[in-house]
Amino acid sequence: MQNISRFISNNLFHHSDLSGYFEPVIQVFKPAWRSGFYRAQVKGIRVLSENAFKITLKPDKKWQIHTAGQHISLTIEQQGRLISRVFTIASGAKKLKETGSIDLVIRTHDKGNFTPYLGELAMNSWVNISEPMGKFIFDELSNHTTFLAGGSGITPFIAMLDDLQENTQKHIHLLYYAKPNSHLMVDVLENFLTRLPNFSFELLNRSEHGSFSKFVSIEHTDEILVCGPQEMYVEAEEFCKSRQIPIRAEHFQAIKPTKSINEAARFRVKLNHGDLEISNQDSLLSEFQLHNKPVTYGCGMGICHQCQCVKKKGIVRDMRDGRLSDNSEELIQLCVTQAVTDLELEL
């Protein structure tokens, strides 16, 4: 029966499921509802600094409980476009069970395509989120752990500490790097000092304190968890390898186009049903059709959203305004999008 329903949806309605086809009707009763996503309501926005804020979301009851350290994809609609970015959840599962809500700590970028709009979200408005993802979680077997954070990479560690029991015997030392006077959620870290007797932290910056290595106690470190920029991860990986210390990491890295936008090039697209080599001179939809790849589509002009898919990695160009995406996860429309780098897509 399920196969029949899927056949009818794909061939008569040009959509992967019937609920997606009737999305505009459902949205009349459920604002921001979208097929394949979870809704979450904005319950609070708190400014943390000049370029950072905390947003509190209350997910649908169907949303599964996360494990501290995991991340979600957050999707908003801006000027008719669906834009998604990935953020680590900055609160533990305990808070979700007690209040039904989760926190995201987000740095804003004035010239960004996404974060400037988040501060404009109204209280009790709705956004879309994915299910919790990722395996960057705290190993309960470790007795002595060093957390190494850079900038907004503090968020998974906040969530991990939030879920620790008051009587835990785990010894955790946090090394937190940021620009001077730019450390986030210091008040929360100070509260952990009173609740977790074996927790300690140091606020560091690169110009004054240099490498983190001199702040790590080799004798009292069973493993190092790292969340921060690529260069921090590389340094930590070399440090741990030379001293045979286990390391687990969640790191982020910017990727830039290797060729001029106007220069003809071919890129590799990794799909969930096979790889493909395409040109950057036409839309992704046209390239998929040229190679006889099965894909759902409708108007072909960026209006109906039926050809949308998830870009997991890589940079694309919006053919309507020339805007380039960043390398993070994002919901795109194949009919108005061109490849700028190698891509990983989920159709």
Side-chain angles (χ1 to χ4, degrees):
M1 194 70 181
Q2 189 176 21
N3 290 334
I4 295 175
S5 175
R6 188 179 297 113
F7 176 84
I8 294 173
S9 299
N10 285 330
N11 290 275
L12 295 184
F13 297 100
H14 301 290
H15 212 283
S16 58
D17 60 77
L18 289 175
S19 61
Y21 181 79
F22 291 108
E23 195 171 88
V25 178
I26 298 174
Q27 287 176 350
V28 173
F29 306 97
K30 286 189 171 184
W33 184 92
R34 294 194 182 280
S35 176
F37 290 82
Y38 296 91
R39 291 200 313 161
Q41 193 169 29
V42 178
K43 305 306 291 184
I45 298 178
R46 175 191 166 197
V47 176
L48 300 178
S49 67
E50 184 179 353
N51 61 347
F53 64 92
K54 180 176 76 174
I55 179 172
T56 300
L57 300 175
K58 187 173 184 178
D60 279 338
K61 292 183 179 179
K62 294 185 295 183
W63 193 73
Q64 69 185 74
I65 295 177
H66 67 288
T67 301
Q70 289 189 303
H71 55 269
I72 59 171
S73 176
L74 172 65
T75 300
I76 62 173
E77 184 171 343
Q78 183 62 34
Q79 298 176 347
R81 297 178 66 225
L82 293 176
I83 316 174
S84 300
R85 293 292 184 273
V86 174
F87 300 103
T88 301
I89 302 169
S91 56
K94 184 171 76 171
K95 176 171 181 173
L96 180 64
K97 294 174 184 177
E98 292 175 352
T99 69
S101 62
I102 60 174
D103 294 329
L104 303 178
V105 172
I106 299 171
R107 283 197 182 275
T108 58
H109 304 279
D110 293 338
K111 298 182 180 180
N113 297 331
F114 187 87
T115 55
Y117 303 115
L118 289 177
E120 301 173 3
L121 291 174
M123 287 290 293
N124 297 317
S125 61
W126 294 89
V127 295
N128 296 112
I129 61 174
S130 69
E131 62 185 12
M133 302 174 287
K135 299 179 180 180
F136 185 64
I137 58 179
F138 183 51
D139 185 356
E140 292 291 341
L141 298 177
S142 300
N143 292 318
H144 297 271
T145 301
T146 296
F147 288 167
L148 177 60
S152 56
I154 188 63
T155 51
F157 300 128
I158 293 288
M160 294 174 189
L161 293 167
D162 194 30
D163 271 354
L164 285 177
Q165 300 295 325
E166 283 79 357
N167 60 353
T168 183
Q169 298 301 306
K170 307 295 182 185
H171 291 259
I172 299 173
H173 187 54
L174 167 66
L175 304 176
Y176 181 17
Y177 276 85
K179 295 178 180 179
N181 303 314
S182 296
H183 296 83
L184 301 173
M185 305 186 77
V186 177
D187 57 334
V188 176
L189 294 175
E190 290 174 343
N191 287 335
F192 286 141
L193 292 177
T194 59
R195 189 166 71 82
L196 304 172
N198 295 321
F199 168 66
S200 58
F201 73 91
E202 296 180 70
L203 302 180
L204 308 171
N205 66 79
R206 183 69 66 176
S207 59
E208 181 180 351
H209 301 98
S211 173
F212 73 90
S213 58
K214 55 189 174 186
F215 299 98
V216 178
S217 172
I218 304 299
E219 297 79 10
H220 298 94
T221 300
D222 297 327
E223 68 169 345
I224 293 181
L225 271 63
V226 185
C227 186
Q230 174 74 2
E231 56 268 24
M232 173 177 282
Y233 167 72
V234 171
E235 181 184 2
E237 185 181 40
E238 293 175 353
F239 174 86
C240 291
K241 185 176 181 179
S242 64
R243 293 162 179 80
Q244 297 184 325
I245 299 175
I247 180 175
R248 288 186 294 123
E250 187 97 322
H251 56 286
F252 38 89
Q253 178 184 21
I255 293 182
K256 298 181 180 180
T258 56
K259 291 182 178 290
S260 166
I261 303 299
N262 298 319
E263 183 181 350
R266 301 192 67 79
F267 296 110
R268 176 72 60 180
V269 178
K270 184 177 181 181
L271 302 169
N272 47 357
H273 52 61
D275 292 356
L276 184 68
E277 187 179 272
I278 64 170
S279 167
N280 67 341
Q281 299 299 293
D282 211 337
S283 70
L284 290 174
L285 176 59
S286 296
E287 286 292 314
F288 287 178
Q289 291 174 327
L290 180 65
H291 290 83
N292 297 316
K293 286 290 183 181
V295 60
T296 299
Y297 67 95
C299 68
M301 298 183 295
I303 298 174
C304 70
H305 294 281
Q306 290 191 43
C307 66
Q308 66 187 25
C309 74
V310 177
K311 173 181 70 68
K312 306 294 287 186
K313 294 180 182 178
I315 300 174
V316 295
R317 175 180 177 270
D318 190 315
M319 298 167 64
R320 294 168 293 186
D321 56 17
R323 184 183 302 177
L324 296 180
S325 72
D326 58 24
N327 186 52
S328 59
E329 184 171 305
E330 179 179 354
L331 201 61
I332 64 172
Q333 293 170 263
L334 298 175
C335 65
V336 291
T337 302
Q338 292 173 313
V340 176
T341 66
D342 290 340
L343 303 173
E344 181 179 339
L345 303 180
E346 189 175 276
L347 298 177

